[in-house]
Amino acid sequence: MSCMTFVLFLTFAQIWASSMHPRLPPSSKLSTNPKEQTSYYWIHNARSTITEKIQRSLNQNVAKNVILFLGDGMSIPTVAAARVYQSGEESELAFDKFPYIGLAKTYAVDRQVADSANTATAYLAGVKANYGTIGVGPEVNFGDCQGMTNETNHAFSIAYYSQLKNKRTGLVTTARVTHASPAGVYAHTSDRNWESDSDIINDGQKPEICSDIASQLLFGETGKKLNVVMGGGRMKLLPNNMTDEEGQKGERSDGANLIQTWQEQRINVKYAWNRSQLIGDVTFDNLLGLFAHDHMSFNLERDTTNEPSLAEMTTVAIKTLSRGSDGYFLFLEGARIDMAHHSGASRLALNETIEFSKAIQAAVDLTDESDTLIVVTSDHAH
Ligand SMILES: [Zn+2]
């Protein structure tokens, strides 16, 4: 459907352009690649592509490591426009070079247009669910505090099953680590907005009954075993009588300092709150990196001395998770593609997509496809 829309849009754009410029001068050719100016190039290009596909042998190894990249809100038009933004229509993003591609349709059980919460349940746990819910089946309605506590309604993520196989597990995002997509790795909640206990209290519900997402990151069956957690969102893990390293107040009502507790739960652990603490040091078994009070910055607005790039976090996450013999599962999210789109900020959205592509390339460079499966997807369009 999106493909069709895009093709129609192009056709319309071409008609509009040709009506505006009835006699295009030869110098207005779009492609900057001189090779594209010959028929020989295109015929040779098609032949070599087909030959390469035919000669590729099917990799039937069982993956020891799985890395799942999620470009939040990264629609097909976003991908196409990001190529243009990168260096022109003919350029390729890191995942354009992958050998297999498919299309998925997205909807929620109770709504036509899906959000980041129920899609996280779908791609991480394999269960389609209701809008705004995370890690619970369609039996649980949005905002149902009691329903989410019934464990028979819980949908478990691939991180949970990886931990059963003694694999190391981690998540990396440019949003708050308690935001909808990363929460799909470890949380079971009927409301994506219940990131701290104060969020639940403000909604007139009881956090002692329906546990907030940050608490589940610390004490949930999957959350408590995560080896790597990186992103933003210190506010959801700190009490409201305490400030973080950059002087901003926490928002928890229960007085819990979950950043402290995370470190106490684990051995050989590192906590980093800025880029210089993160880069280069991969001698720890467990890593908590919280680089912002709220979401991390858009890349174009990022203080590069304080906040790492998604590619830098990806590199450290893979190296840290590789410190084990049974393999790992890693979830990585380019979260702010979606948020830029929500604001209609196309330049930010495309730049975030390029950063996402760079992170994928970093993962490709660090791993071997004989034992590592890398999947790149989106959750919904814009
Ligand atoms: Zn999303």
Side-chain angles (χ1 to χ4, degrees), residues 70 72-73 115-116 119 181 333 338 379-380:
L70 187 269
D72 204 304
D115 78 322
S116 295
T119 52
S181 311
E333 183 193 27
D338 170 86
D379 52 354
H380 54 79

Side-chain angles (χ1 to χ4, degrees), residues 26 109 140 223 373:
V109 167
V140 180
L373 172 68

Side-chain angles (χ1 to χ4, degrees), residues 2 72-78 116 335 337-344 378-382:
S2 296
D72 204 304
M74 189 181 71
S75 60
I76 291 169
T78 304
S116 295
I337 301 167
D338 170 86
M339 296 178 193
H341 274 322
H342 274 289
S343 310
S378 184
D379 52 354
H380 54 79
H382 263 276

Side-chain angles (χ1 to χ4, degrees), residues 151-205:
E151 285 187 19
T152 59
N153 295 335
H154 288 183
F156 292 91
S157 81
I158 184 173
Y160 169 83
Y161 293 106
S162 300
Q163 290 171 353
L164 292 182
K165 295 274 185 189
N166 291 322
K167 292 185 189 297
R168 288 162 63 72
T169 50
L171 66 88
V172 175
T173 178
T174 46
R176 296 189 294 266
V177 295
T178 49
H179 207 239
S181 311
V185 172
Y186 61 85
H188 308 279
T189 182
S190 62
D191 189 333
R192 59 177 289 171
N193 301 306
W194 293 348
E195 294 181 55
S196 75
D197 63 334
S198 298
D199 293 324
I200 298 177
I201 293 164
N202 293 340
D203 248 8
Q205 303 274 4

Side-chain angles (χ1 to χ4, degrees), residues 1 7 9 15 17 48 73 75 78 81 100 107 120 124 137 144 151 164 193 228 230 242 265 285 305:
M1 194 61 187
V7 168
F9 170 75
I15 293 166
S48 62
S75 60
T78 304
Y100 305 104
Y107 62 92
L124 284 163
D144 178 359
E151 285 187 19
L164 292 182
N193 301 306
V228 171
M230 270 193 273
M242 194 180 160
Q265 281 177 333
D285 290 332
T305 58

